[in-house]
Amino acid sequence: MTLFDSVQKTKRLFIPLQEGKVSLYVCGPTVYDDAHLGHAKSALVFDLLTKVLKADGYDVTYARNITDIDDKIILKAQEQKKSIQEITDFYTDAFHKEMQAIGVSRPDIEPKATESLDAIYQLIQSLIDSQHAYKTLEGDVYFDTSSDSAYLSLSKRVQDEDDKLQRVESSSNKKNSADFALWKSVKDGSVTFESPFGSGRPGWHVECSAMIEKHMACGNKKYALDIHGGGADLLFPHHENEAAQTRCATNHDLANYWMHNGFVNIDGQKMSKSLGNSFFLKDALKVYDGEVLRFYLLSTHYRSNFNFNEEDLLSSKKRLDKIYRLKKRLFGLSHEEKTTPFQDELLKALNDDLNISSSLALIDEMLSKANEILDTTGKHKELKRDTLSNLAYIEKLLGFGVKNPFEYFQFGVDEDTKTKIAELILQRDEAKKAKDFALSDKIRDEILACGVNIMDTPQGTFWEKV
RNA sequence: GGUGCCAUCGCCAAGUGGUAAGGCCGCAGCCUGCAAAGCUGCUAUCCCCAGUUCAAAUCUGGGUGGCACCUCCA
């Protein structure tokens, strides 16, 4: 497999630290609010990556953290007059449910900041011991960026001298403007943890480095991890700082490969609270089937910025529909696992830095070829077997086509309407039998008015929500 | 201001040196009582200019136009 390494800025052949094994760590959500489409995109991308790595035969350990210590969480708790844990439990639970709805598997490890304080203290202490961190008079602990000659090697950023001077003047307690907090002293009596450095709260960046050391780091290798991932915005400063901490506190670097997914914009605009255009997953799920969202959000290469709009979503859905129509065509037939050339090609495409566009093109070609052969007369025993096996492979590898095809096409239609449609179809069949086409067409118009399409097939009349 | 990314058919989107994948939309046809679905066929020389090369959408330089990060952020 080749992966684009966003630090070396090139595609690299993936070679794991330990043969046959892959360790992957992705920055997860801070649980103070609902997940938006950007969280979904990131989770989907790395969900796909793990599925492809597993298909390649790797034993994958995938960790995605939950940040449950944060100023924004505290603020939310105060606003809603709830405990911190009520807030974090609520949003963690919601996150899990929404991720499940878009077919994202749970990571193998899901470390929380509150459960990793021991590792955080240990990491900070070793940074202090090795002179890479210092304590201020106020009781804060900062990482000394000037002590790390490799600082900024990740993002390749250039320190702005003017900017640096200005900031140093404005915050005299830091040695360098770029220094960041490892431990924040808190004296206002709100949420604190008792650490060897006094009571306070951990900084954000230190959390990931500590959790990786605790759960993932493998022995005496050059890197703690094979792959570290996250949103494109995290490269700096978050990942830069994580890398610095790990490099200075341990005898290894953080990750061999760095992957960053592109941003999700809404109708050409960045999602942001101030613009009021945040698109929450839970709202999207009310209108669209979770799998439609999965397909749409994954349909563009993970590194590109993604512009979410309904028109594109609908045309993307039509593509997913075709998978389900073929499933419907072959519904009820049993299948056995079988490797086909199509499956090899599909995996090969995904192994090229998750080239989803090529993968979808291969799927579309497979679908129309299968449909074409099924359209001609004959038994097609072999073709059916291969096709069913191909569809099962797509389900497993990409998570497309996992539902019952009939239910898929009925998303968002209530029971009363379903009953009504069933009755109308019965009436129309009667009219058709009697060759009363004027009446049958009239009934079809009524059915159409319910917002569904109908299709006559040798197996009977089926309907789909438009 | 600093750093970086991007610009391919009406729309979405691959391809990064060897002569433009795929999908949506549209048009024509097959199928159908008529439809729908499915199938077949048709539709671009790659933002502009200059250069390198036998050969460039793909490399180099210069424009123009988008965008992102530099502060919390997936």
Side-chain angles (χ1 to χ4, degrees), chain A residues 327-393:
Chain A
K327 276 199 82 173
K328 216 156 72 165
R329 235 179 142 168
L330 300 171
F331 190 73
L333 298 174
S334 61
H335 78 283
E336 59 209 73
E337 279 206 22
K338 190 190 167 198
T339 305
T340 64
F342 161 78
Q343 292 166 28
D344 292 338
E345 281 185 66
L346 185 67
L347 184 58
K348 198 176 151 200
L350 288 166
N351 270 327
D352 178 15
D353 193 34
L354 302 180
N355 190 330
I356 193 73
S357 289
S358 295
S359 310
L360 294 179
L362 287 166
I363 290 173
D364 279 315
E365 278 162 20
M366 186 276 288
L367 295 177
S368 38
K369 205 175 289 172
N371 274 317
E372 185 187 354
I373 298 173
L374 289 170
D375 277 353
T376 62
T377 51
K379 290 267 182 190
H380 323 301
K381 211 171 169 184
E382 180 123 0
L383 172 94
K384 282 180 181 169
R385 207 183 307 139
D386 284 2
T387 305
L388 283 164
S389 163
N390 288 343
L391 289 170
Y393 192 77

Side-chain angles (χ1 to χ4, degrees), chain A residues 32 46 98 130 176 208-209 267-268 278-279 342 347 392 413 464:
Chain A
Y32 73 102
F46 293 103
E98 288 155 18
S130 58
N176 314 288
C208 293
S209 293
D267 290 324
S278 288
F279 203 152
F342 161 78
L347 184 58
V413 180
E464 296 180 358

Side-chain angles (χ1 to χ4, degrees), chain A residues 170-181:
Chain A
S170 64
S171 66
S172 54
N173 57 348
K174 284 204 276 182
K175 283 192 192 171
N176 314 288
S177 65
D179 292 356
F180 53 90

